[in-house]
Amino acid sequence: MSIQIHAVSQSFHGKPVLEDINLTIEPNKIYGLLGRNGAGKSTLLNIISNRIFPSQGTITLDE
């Protein structure tokens, strides 16, 4: 199963957290998500897991 992230953006209280994120996560590979505090790592994972919804863009799960 692959995860395709296309043009995902998210903002909180008018402040952008994620801007135009494009990423494809392929099966049978290991990925790391690195960044400083406040970079949007948890926000991206919450969007992928459907806990919050992006302000714009799409997340697609393919099998």
Side-chain angles (χ1 to χ4, degrees), residues 31-37 39-41:
Y31 292 88
L33 190 57
L34 304 174
R36 60 179 175 76
N37 290 344
K41 302 176 299 290

Side-chain angles (χ1 to χ4, degrees), residues 10-12 17-18 39-49 52:
Q10 178 67 34
S11 60
F12 295 110
V17 177
L18 300 173
K41 302 176 299 290
S42 295
T43 301
L44 181 60
L45 291 175
N46 282 326
I47 291 171
I48 291 171
S49 65
I52 61 174

Side-chain angles (χ1 to χ4, degrees), residues 3-37:
I3 302 172
Q4 296 180 353
I5 301 165
H6 180 69
V8 168
S9 297
Q10 178 67 34
S11 60
F12 295 110
H13 306 291
K15 185 173 182 177
V17 177
L18 300 173
E19 292 186 41
D20 197 31
I21 303 295
N22 294 294
L23 177 66
T24 299
I25 301 173
E26 298 176 0
N28 301 319
K29 292 192 177 184
I30 298 172
Y31 292 88
L33 190 57
L34 304 174
R36 60 179 175 76
N37 290 344

